[in-house]
Amino acid sequence: MNGHTPDARDGRGPSPVVVLGNGPVGQTAALLLARWAVPVILLDQRPHRDPVGSKAIVQQRDVLDVWDAVGAGRRIADEGLTWTVARTFYRDQELFNYTFADPGRSVFPPFVNISQTRTEEVLDQRIAAEPLIDVRWDHHVTGIAQDEQGVTLHCGNRAVQASYVVACAGARGDDIRRMLGVRFDGRSFDDRFLICDIRTDLPGWANERRFYFDPPWNPGRQVLIHPCPDSTFRIDWQVPAGEDRAVGVDPGGRDARIRAIIGDRPYELVWSSVYRFHSRVVDRMRVGRVLLAGDLAHLVSPFGARGLNSGVQDAENAAWKLAFVLNGWADESLLDSYHAERHAAARENLDVTDATMRFLVPGTEAEHQHRLAVLEAAGTDAGARAAVDSGRLAEPFWYVDSPLTTPNPNHPFTGRPPRGAVPPAGPGILVPDAPIAIGGRPTRIRQIARDGFLLLAGERVDADAVHAAAQRATSAPVRVERITDIDHDSALATVLAAHPEELWIIRPDAHVAAVLTDPGPAAAGTALRRATAAPTTTEERDHGVLPADR
């Protein structure tokens, strides 16, 4: 790797970034910024951590990989409960089940279930060990002012200065949205859902997600059951209109619903709540020097586990781009791509989860009749089974239309794959993981990808010329490796479907920025400049390497 990462502690590093909100999205942003040697002030309006309820429980493979970069992924995965099968039922008949494809050879399972409370504890431990993160509780933001030099957060009679802010203040951050002047367009669903975490023994249910349409113990509505560690199960019931208050407070009613599912076996009620769903997204995810992330920026229904998982991906996207700007490796135009990429991701999540909610909670008689017809036919009709929507589970967003991505017609995006599947590797796609060895030391491709730009050269590519071009194109950390030198059992070439004449450019968040065929030094430099939103050079415009408006 070339390039120097300045250490903020030596007086030559970047100015502090304030991360607003000490939940898992804010914790992730703080840890990733510190990993890039950026000092962080982590603010939260609460007086202390409030570990109440399990909250978000489903953590997706690629999010575990993000947490692994800050030393938390393996522990969260090891403590969580792994599940690999999603089953969907209509009444008492199983309609289908599917497992989840691994695009490479990941060290992580497709999903683990673990309470958000425990995830926050693990991340807190990593934060406590990081001297670049200053945690400050009991800081309620009452004003936000920014200019060309930075941002001032007013917290009562206290003021906190920052170069930039990553705002992760959560779903109830209405005041923050108002101060920033952003809209929060969308809708809230009237239907309520009862959620219970119970500890009991359910043989055969411990490693699979179960979704029931119209089961005998909740006719006309849905039930979702997730396994969790320590013999705990999360059960969600769609609640009949007008009954939400009663089921939330009536122990007898809750017990009857639980008994209808588990029978007379003993159980312990760990946590219970009633909630409603929202489908909203802000109109801007960048407001000057403030980047909005997580539930502050977007809310989706939990069917698909796209809330916390997408928030962590917001945090990673924001962190590497802020680090590049603050370390002088890119100018502020790179931050515009944060909105371009993560707003598109939020819209995708809203599209997916809104379709699920229309199927789960039909809004019109025509939608209700459609759902009934699909479910009745799905037992014997494969086409009808494909139309059953019990939630498309979390997956990373594909930056194929990003202004930072260089397309390649030899590696086209094939569109949204079937549920449980992944698209082929190519520009905009999160690079599949694979074991590699560097200098005889075993590692994996995603471990080294997150250290800067990673350039993977086929055996017919002039790696030395590419390296020199990369150094001319960017001052950011760049690493060039020849695929044939590091590949372990041909795993990398297989998962990439890479050709000997190709150069793969991987971004610091492990997404593929470009796949160049027969690349010369100019093309490699141009793709790297594009991946950092650097202005188009006269030479690039004259030779048609990039569009003139880039």
Side-chain angles (χ1 to χ4, degrees):
M1 179 187 298
N2 67 289
H4 170 62
T5 303
D7 188 335
R9 290 161 293 187
D10 65 12
R12 298 183 292 114
S15 301
V17 169
V18 162
V19 174
L20 184 56
N22 197 351
V25 176
Q27 291 172 295
T28 302
L31 284 164
L32 288 169
L33 284 163
R35 184 176 182 269
W36 286 105
V38 175
V40 177
I41 301 171
L42 180 54
L43 302 183
D44 198 287
Q45 67 178 3
R46 296 170 295 175
H48 48 70
R49 179 79 63 203
D50 50 355
V52 178
S54 56
K55 302 177 186 176
I57 61 169
V58 184
Q59 322 303 351
Q60 192 257 353
R61 169 192 287 134
D62 302 305
V63 167
L64 295 170
D65 218 19
V66 174
W67 285 331
D68 195 49
V70 294
R74 302 296 180 97
R75 186 168 178 184
I76 292 171
D78 289 346
E79 291 192 20
L81 185 141
T82 296
W83 59 278
T84 57
V85 178
R87 299 187 186 277
T88 297
F89 299 80
Y90 176 47
R91 296 176 179 160
D92 56 359
Q93 176 189 8
E94 183 174 346
L95 298 180
F96 58 85
N97 67 77
Y98 58 95
T99 56
F100 300 89
D102 184 347
R105 287 167 55 178
S106 177
V107 297
F108 294 110
F111 292 95
V112 300
N113 286 0
I114 185 171
S115 75
Q116 179 178 325
T117 297
R118 181 57 187 150
T119 297
E120 289 173 345
E121 289 174 348
V122 174
L123 295 174
D124 274 341
Q125 291 167 8
R126 297 302 307 151
I127 287 171
E130 177 49 71
L132 285 178
I133 302 177
D134 176 8
V135 178
R136 302 181 189 178
W137 297 97
D138 200 21
H139 276 65
H140 178 67
V141 175
T142 55
I144 301 174
Q146 54 178 313
D147 55 29
E148 293 183 358
Q149 279 69 50
V151 186
T152 301
L153 297 174
H154 297 281
C155 305
N157 59 1
R158 294 170 292 188
V160 180
Q161 305 291 332
S163 56
Y164 294 90
V165 172
V166 183
C168 319
R172 298 178 180 176
D174 294 333
D175 288 345
I176 302 299
R177 298 185 197 100
R178 177 184 52 78
M179 292 175 204
L180 293 172
V182 297
R183 301 195 315 270
F184 202 35
D185 299 330
R187 59 173 294 198
S188 298
F189 293 89
D190 292 332
D191 300 79
R192 301 309 204 265
F193 287 76
L194 168 67
I195 180 172
C196 291
D197 290 352
I198 65 169
R199 186 171 290 116
T200 189
D201 182 28
L202 290 175
W205 291 27
N207 297 98
E208 56 190 42
R209 170 209 195 240
R210 291 179 167 235
F211 192 102
Y212 290 86
F213 289 101
D214 305 348
W217 16 270
N218 201 33
R221 295 172 179 84
Q222 284 72 244
V223 175
L224 172 63
I225 304 173
H226 265 286
C228 297
D230 301 322
S231 299
T232 300
F233 292 84
R234 158 75 59 85
I235 309 178
D236 287 68
W237 292 263
Q238 183 187 355
V239 178
E243 292 187 20
D244 57 297
R245 292 185 181 274
V247 298
V249 299
D250 175 25
R254 279 199 309 258
D255 179 71
R257 288 177 176 275
I258 293 169
R259 291 285 177 206
I261 298 174
I262 71 171
D264 60 0
R265 57 174 43 89
Y267 77 90
E268 173 192 354
L269 179 66
V270 179
W271 181 58
S272 179
S273 182
V274 175
Y275 58 97
R276 65 189 297 203
F277 299 152
H278 308 274
S279 178
R280 297 183 180 278
V281 63
V282 294
D283 59 318
R284 292 176 293 158
M285 290 183 67
R286 180 190 178 191
V287 181
R289 289 176 170 266
V290 181
L291 307 183
L292 288 74
D295 286 351
L296 183 74
H298 43 74
L299 290 173
V300 297
S301 88
F303 294 107
R306 289 171 175 260
L308 174 55
N309 287 297
S310 66
V312 169
Q313 289 156 357
D314 289 345
E316 181 174 39
N317 195 292
W320 81 262
K321 291 172 181 177
L322 284 170
F324 269 48
V325 171
L326 288 166
N327 281 305
W329 303 328
D331 63 33
E332 273 209 348
S333 61
L334 178 60
L335 300 184
D336 289 335
S337 70
Y338 174 74
H339 169 84
E341 293 184 342
R342 295 313 301 166
H343 197 264
R347 295 300 322 175
E348 165 103 345
N349 285 330
L350 261 66
D351 290 345
V352 169
T353 55
D354 282 359
T356 298
M357 288 303 293
R358 286 194 298 273
F359 195 82
L360 299 187
V361 188
T364 65
E365 181 60 25
E367 289 178 350
H368 178 78
Q369 291 300 323
H370 168 73
R371 190 188 91 138
L372 182 62
V374 167
L375 290 171
E376 291 285 356
T380 56
D381 184 334
R385 280 196 295 275
V388 173
D389 193 340
S390 56
R392 183 181 176 101
L393 285 148
E395 57 206 340
F397 184 68
W398 306 300
Y399 300 134
V400 293
D401 295 321
S402 167
L404 307 187
T405 300
T406 300
N408 184 332
N410 295 327
H411 291 272
F413 180 55
T414 54
R416 188 183 298 169
R419 54 192 166 202
V422 292
I429 308 299
L430 187 63
V431 67
D433 207 4
I436 58 174
I438 297 178
R441 182 178 63 86
T443 182
R444 54 192 184 92
I445 199 65
R446 286 194 187 172
Q447 278 189 306
I448 64 170
R450 286 186 162 95
D451 291 337
F453 279 103
L454 173 63
L455 278 58
L456 300 173
E459 59 183 323
R460 297 179 190 167
V461 174
D462 187 341
D464 291 335
V466 163
H467 194 188
Q471 289 180 310
R472 292 192 297 270
T474 180
S475 57
V478 174
R479 179 176 196 149
V480 180
E481 298 286 353
R482 193 178 294 281
I483 294 177
T484 52
D485 292 341
I486 65 173
D487 208 357
H488 180 71
D489 296 333
S490 299
L492 181 57
T494 299
V495 300
L496 295 181
H499 297 286
E501 66 279 4
E502 289 179 342
L503 176 71
W504 288 65
I505 300 178
I506 315 299
R507 300 177 0 168
D509 57 3
H511 282 78
V512 179
V515 182
L516 305 178
T517 304
D518 292 324
T526 298
L528 271 170
R529 289 173 57 79
R530 180 171 186 163
T532 57
T536 307
T537 66
T538 302
E539 181 183 5
E540 288 165 346
R541 288 194 298 271
D542 291 346
H543 290 83
V545 179
L546 286 177
D549 61 351
R550 283 276 309 143

